[in-house]
Amino acid sequence: MTQNSTNAGDMSALAGKYLTFSLAQEGYGIGILKVQEIIGLMNVTHVPRTPDYIRGVINLRGKVIPVVDLRLKFGLEENEDTDKTCIIVVQVENVSGEHVIMGIIVDEVCEVLDIKADQIEPSPSFGASLDTEFIMGMGKAAQKVVMLLDVDKVLSKREVETVAQTSEDY
């Protein structure tokens, strides 16, 4: 899955399996190969002086990993956690190309969809002032639209460094 594929209008490189989830009743998907595991919401230790979208850190089997609240990162209204709220543990790239493990909090994990190239449309252009580089395309599946996210671009490389530093401090 490369960014060039979306620019060329050829969506074949984006075809594949996506883990879908919801945030504020909208559907999103991330490439299944970026997902390490899905865990229920657990105690998150707040880290002072971090951006609002960083919920804190968790202890995942002895490893401290940072957790990002995707609702807040996307500028959506904050919501109470429910029994469906969960953490998707993903691997993202930092500035030096190293992989960083982090959790993203979502409202609900839905399903794994196999989205074919002809079911993917390029992401719409909203003008130069809006950064939508993290949206690779729009997947059409079963009467709904799923925004296909490039999880490496949801956070900027600098934000990934900040998030990674959060867990290293603990």
Side-chain angles (χ1 to χ4, degrees):
M1 291 182 256
T2 65
Q3 182 185 1
N4 292 340
S5 62
T6 57
N7 292 338
D10 178 12
M11 298 289 118
S12 61
L14 298 179
K17 294 187 184 300
Y18 289 86
L19 176 68
T20 62
F21 57 92
S22 67
L23 282 175
Q25 300 180 345
E26 300 294 339
Y28 297 87
I30 54 177
I32 196 75
L33 296 178
K34 288 288 187 178
V35 176
Q36 292 210 329
E37 63 182 291
I38 302 164
I39 56 175
L41 193 59
M42 55 196 319
N43 285 336
V44 179
T45 303
H46 177 74
V47 178
R49 303 177 71 184
T50 56
D52 289 345
Y53 61 85
I54 298 177
R55 177 87 65 103
V57 294
I58 60 172
N59 181 345
L60 184 63
R61 293 184 292 280
K63 183 167 178 59
V64 176
I65 66 168
V67 177
V68 171
D69 189 326
L70 212 49
R71 265 182 172 270
L72 298 181
K73 177 59 187 158
F74 285 172
L76 301 171
E77 186 175 313
E78 195 169 358
N79 200 21
E80 292 270 331
D81 294 332
T82 69
D83 58 341
K84 293 182 177 179
T85 305
C86 58
I87 299 171
I88 303 173
V89 179
V90 295
Q91 207 176 64
V92 297
E93 262 184 39
N94 67 9
V95 176
S96 39
E98 298 169 344
H99 289 110
V100 174
I101 307 295
M102 71 171 57
I104 56 173
I105 297 176
V106 300
D107 291 351
E108 180 179 7
V109 168
C110 300
E111 61 187 320
V112 174
L113 291 177
D114 189 5
I115 301 179
K116 312 242 181 291
D118 63 352
Q119 295 174 298
I120 302 173
E121 298 285 330
S123 58
S125 174
F126 295 101
S129 62
L130 290 177
D131 177 18
T132 57
E133 188 177 80
F134 62 94
I135 302 174
M136 297 186 299
M138 309 299 270
K140 300 174 289 185
Q143 307 297 321
K144 60 185 176 186
V145 174
V146 177
M147 287 175 260
L148 304 177
L149 303 178
D150 184 343
V151 75
D152 288 327
K153 293 181 180 169
V154 169
L155 297 177
S156 70
K157 300 290 185 195
R158 182 163 304 284
E159 289 172 324
V160 171
E161 287 295 318
T162 300
V163 169
Q165 186 64 41
T166 301
S167 63
E168 290 173 8
D169 292 343
Y170 281 79

